[in-house]
Amino acid sequence: MPQWISRIIHTLSGTTFRLILLMVGLLMLWGMLAPLSTIVWWLNQTAESLGLEEETPEVLRRQAAIDPTSAINCYIVFLPGVGNFSPEEITPGEKYFIYQLAERHPQCVVVRDVFPYSVINRDLGSQELLTPLWEASKESDGILRNVLVQVRNLWRFAISADERYGPVYNLSIAHTIVERMNVAHPIAQSDRPINLILISTSGGTQVALGATAHLNEWINARLTVVSIGGTFEGRAGFNDADRVYHLQGDRDWVADLSRIIFPARWSWTVGSPVNQARRQGRYTVCIIGSYEHTGAEGYFGNAISPNGIPYVKQTIEQVDQLPIWSINQPLTSQCPVQKIAEK
């Protein structure tokens, strides 16, 4: 037997390779079991709580009307990326971003405690069986956190995009959004529409788009989705949101990857919802600078951009220029820098 074949066999029989196989097997099993929490959530709901017997879910039906003269007529709901651990924890750059926008637009209420990777809006540590593992990953800055948390959340991203489980999963997230909006400031029950802005990044964009069908049905609102380096499959949400803006950096290969993977995003899939929305001017793609997907040179990073200001401050300026902040302002295809067609 040639020596190189012997070395390969020796390597494949080693402990390291067996550990790799074990990890791959566990991740595959993890993915197969991922829809269980969605199914359990669905089975525990009633027709009344889901709003199937009425036009609105229970959380809105029990909401009393509030003062119609209130200055609050806008909600900014932030859905973070797959690297996040819980609904309470977002990065310092993300916190700075959304609260700076709220300061500039005092008519808007910030909702930042929606966790788009849990049907019950709980952090990963709430799973008793895996609590020690999640707590270890939460405290780790290395591969444990970067791999385990992101892989776990990516499975939820996949569920949201799945034709079988996605409708139920996205319904649960829509319930959470409405509930947290009510906690932040009671939703007005009147004929005057509110301005509802879903700002999302990475895998949070897929979940935001998935929730729009229900939000559009339940709430009298102008519904805008702002994707900042978001990843999405290109079907859900594009027939329900009034406008979708996708802001992307020219070094963000992760956002480019979803455009390659999902057939609905391909330019020759002319009948897909995303391509129809793009042709009708309801979906706008903007290249906003030299951003990476995450990190110091990402959309919420604190490194200095080529423009001489921190990347996160540059992102704030780009989003602030979008024509979305007044309910009376017409939604247009305007980009903060330039408009481009989907490649």
Side-chain angles (χ1 to χ4, degrees):
M1 179 182 298
Q3 189 174 7
W4 64 273
I5 296 180
S6 298
R7 284 199 299 268
I8 292 176
I9 293 175
H10 177 74
T11 299
L12 295 181
S13 62
T15 302
T16 301
F17 184 75
R18 289 200 295 269
L19 286 174
I20 293 174
L21 284 180
L22 177 62
M23 287 296 296
V24 171
L26 287 174
L27 291 175
M28 294 301 296
L29 178 63
W30 200 354
M32 288 186 288
L33 296 177
L36 285 180
S37 60
T38 303
I39 296 172
V40 170
W41 177 86
W42 173 259
L43 293 175
N44 285 329
Q45 303 304 305
T46 64
E48 183 180 10
S49 69
L50 292 170
L52 299 179
E53 293 181 344
E54 303 285 344
E55 294 182 354
T56 54
E58 184 179 6
V59 68
L60 280 177
R61 289 202 301 274
R62 61 174 186 259
Q63 173 63 48
I66 64 171
D67 182 1
T69 63
S70 171
I72 299 299
N73 66 354
C74 168
Y75 291 80
I76 303 172
V77 182
F78 183 73
L79 283 78
V82 296
N84 287 73
F85 187 89
S86 78
E88 289 82 20
E89 296 184 10
I90 58 177
T91 68
E94 291 169 338
K95 290 180 182 178
Y96 179 78
F97 165 79
I98 57 177
Y99 283 119
Q100 282 294 310
L101 287 179
E103 282 191 7
R104 297 183 183 206
H105 304 282
Q107 79 280 11
C108 296
V109 173
V110 166
V111 180
R112 71 167 187 84
D113 53 355
V114 175
F115 189 45
Y117 312 106
S118 169
V119 293
I120 54 177
N121 205 42
R122 294 183 183 173
D123 64 35
L124 306 187
S126 66
Q127 303 178 28
E128 294 183 5
L129 182 63
L130 298 175
T131 295
L133 182 62
W134 294 134
E135 289 301 323
S137 68
K138 181 180 177 181
E139 297 171 0
S140 171
D141 293 327
I143 192 171
L144 191 59
R145 178 177 179 86
N146 293 336
V147 173
L148 289 179
V149 173
Q150 292 191 33
V151 167
R152 185 268 179 200
N153 290 343
L154 278 171
W155 281 122
R156 270 60 188 178
F157 165 88
I159 292 173
S160 176
D162 189 275
E163 290 183 342
R164 299 162 298 175
Y165 307 110
V168 176
Y169 186 88
N170 296 328
L171 173 63
S172 73
I173 301 300
H175 269 265
T176 297
I177 290 173
V178 171
E179 178 189 5
R180 303 321 298 170
M181 287 171 63
N182 262 320
V183 170
H185 188 275
I187 300 172
Q189 300 297 294
S190 70
D191 295 331
R192 184 182 63 174
I194 61 173
N195 192 15
L196 177 52
I197 304 169
L198 303 183
I199 300 181
S200 56
T201 185
S202 189
T205 298
Q206 172 60 42
V207 184
L209 288 165
T212 57
H214 307 290
L215 297 174
N216 190 40
E217 179 181 357
W218 297 338
I219 303 175
N220 182 18
R222 187 181 75 173
L223 181 52
T224 307
V225 177
V226 179
S227 162
I228 304 176
T231 55
F232 50 91
E233 46 83 28
R235 293 172 298 174
F238 288 92
N239 292 329
D240 302 294
D242 291 280
R243 187 79 56 169
V244 179
Y245 296 94
H246 176 62
L247 280 55
Q248 182 178 335
D250 56 17
R251 291 187 291 149
D252 184 356
W253 64 270
V254 176
D256 279 334
L257 189 61
S258 66
R259 180 173 50 81
I260 296 171
I261 291 175
F262 294 110
R265 301 280 304 275
W266 300 345
S267 59
W268 56 84
T269 313
V270 294
S272 69
V274 63
N275 285 323
Q276 288 183 350
R278 178 167 54 87
R279 289 194 301 273
Q280 295 167 6
R282 295 181 289 107
Y283 169 55
T284 303
V285 180
C286 306
I287 294 298
I288 59 170
S290 182
Y291 291 90
E292 295 180 351
H293 190 68
T294 58
E297 297 186 1
Y299 303 100
F300 309 103
N302 57 10
I304 303 301
S305 72
N307 292 334
I309 61 174
Y311 280 92
V312 63
K313 289 188 176 182
Q314 181 172 280
T315 304
I316 293 168
E317 296 300 328
Q318 304 281 9
V319 174
D320 192 45
Q321 292 177 41
L322 292 172
I324 62 176
W325 299 106
S326 171
I327 196 70
N328 299 318
Q329 183 179 11
L331 290 170
T332 68
S333 298
Q334 172 186 339
C335 273
V337 176
Q338 71 178 108
K339 177 183 175 183
I340 64 165
E342 184 104 307
K343 297 177 184 177

